[in-house]
Amino acid sequence: MPKIIAVSKTFEEKDIIPLVEYGHDHFGENKVQEAFRKWSKIRALKKDFNLHLIGNLQSNKVKTAVSIFDYIHSLDSLKLAEKIAKEQNLQKKKLKLFIQVNIGNEPQKSGINESELSDLIIFCKDLNLDIIGLMCIPPNDQNSIKYFKKMNELNNKFNLTELSMGMSSDYLNAIKNSATYVRIGTNIFGQRN
Ligand SMILES: *Cc1c(COP(=O)(O)O)cnc(C)c1O
């Protein structure tokens, strides 16, 4: 069974807390500052859930990110890997990490290109980072199945067990291609402004 990350970006604590109290155990945010503001308060109430960073991570936010998140899905460069490793040592924490792959080779999108993936994985293992799988946000071109297939092949090739892909509109196809974490916002919380 894939795990469902309830993506609560833009929603406030009052919308999120009922789901936390119900016992849902995976939540996702895409901005570090917003997550810090909301989830520091929620953690004061309850602690037994996992918080995922699913959006871009700038290196000047790594310190805060390591302090509040349990998973990061957006590791996509050697520089970021080094920074995370350093910050984890300082904070004596070890997060679970996904490497984000720019699976459609889109110039405007973050994520590492497939051709550089192998080097990044080796680099992360040398840093003793806990890389659990790959993550993607496929191109918005109605061909997500093709990209999900590709991601599943890459995950197998590198012997990774977890695969983060699929959102409200395409999660069923992601699951058919072995996604283990789907990231669902709109279908859980409603439309964002
Ligand atoms: C917002 C977001 C989601 C959730 O999108 P929905 O279409 O609302 O389900 C999933 N993944 C990432 C990276 C996001 O930024």
Side-chain angles (χ1 to χ4, degrees):
M1 272 289 278
K3 297 192 174 66
I4 298 172
I5 301 173
V7 176
S8 50
K9 65 189 185 194
T10 78
F11 288 91
E12 293 302 320
E13 293 94 299
K14 67 170 172 36
D15 301 309
I16 304 169
I17 288 170
L19 201 49
V20 175
E21 286 185 332
Y22 179 76
H24 190 71
D25 53 357
H26 290 276
F27 292 87
E29 292 281 346
N30 70 334
K31 294 200 173 113
V32 175
Q33 289 311 120
E34 178 187 340
F36 181 77
R37 175 175 64 74
K38 291 166 13 185
W39 289 90
S40 315
K41 289 184 227 161
I42 299 172
R43 284 244 201 249
L45 305 174
K46 210 165 187 280
K47 294 193 168 50
D48 52 347
F49 56 81
N50 297 282
L51 194 59
H52 298 249
L53 176 62
I54 59 171
N56 257 354
L57 178 56
Q58 293 166 297
S59 47
N60 62 347
K61 304 241 168 79
V62 170
K63 182 177 180 181
T64 311
V66 168
S67 77
I68 53 164
F69 287 101
D70 305 292
Y71 293 68
I72 292 174
H73 292 235
S74 48
L75 171 51
D76 65 356
S77 71
L78 304 173
K79 187 177 152 218
L80 200 50
E82 269 181 333
K83 190 90 209 236
I84 291 172
K86 191 170 153 223
E87 202 48 58
Q88 289 195 144
N89 287 338
L90 288 172
Q91 298 188 30
K92 302 199 177 0
K93 274 188 84 174
K94 197 159 185 183
L95 277 62
K96 295 185 166 69
L97 304 170
F98 287 92
I99 293 178
Q100 182 172 355
V101 182
N102 187 354
I103 196 67
N105 278 314
E106 296 172 283
Q108 80 284 8
K109 258 200 197 148
S110 43
I112 187 128
N113 286 334
E114 198 191 320
S115 60
E116 299 166 277
L117 179 58
S118 170
D119 285 347
L120 180 57
I121 291 176
I122 293 167
F123 188 76
C124 290
K125 296 222 160 119
D126 287 345
L127 286 172
N128 201 21
L129 294 178
D130 188 11
I131 304 295
I132 60 171
L134 302 179
M135 175 272 207
C136 77
I137 306 172
N140 200 0
D141 64 2
Q142 317 299 326
N143 276 320
S144 53
I145 298 179
K146 174 177 95 187
Y147 301 110
F148 291 155
K149 277 211 173 88
K150 194 85 193 285
M151 287 294 293
N152 189 21
E153 287 165 15
L154 285 173
N155 234 41
N156 290 333
K157 175 175 164 193
F158 292 106
N159 274 318
L160 296 164
T161 52
E162 308 302 328
L163 189 49
S164 164
M165 58 188 195
M167 318 191 347
S168 292
S169 59
D170 57 11
Y171 69 93
L172 289 174
N173 284 327
I175 291 167
K176 281 184 200 145
N177 288 284
S178 309
T180 62
Y181 286 85
V182 293
R183 310 178 306 261
I184 311 289
T186 313
N187 284 6
I188 293 175
F189 291 101
Q191 285 293 336
R192 290 179 292 273
N193 293 323

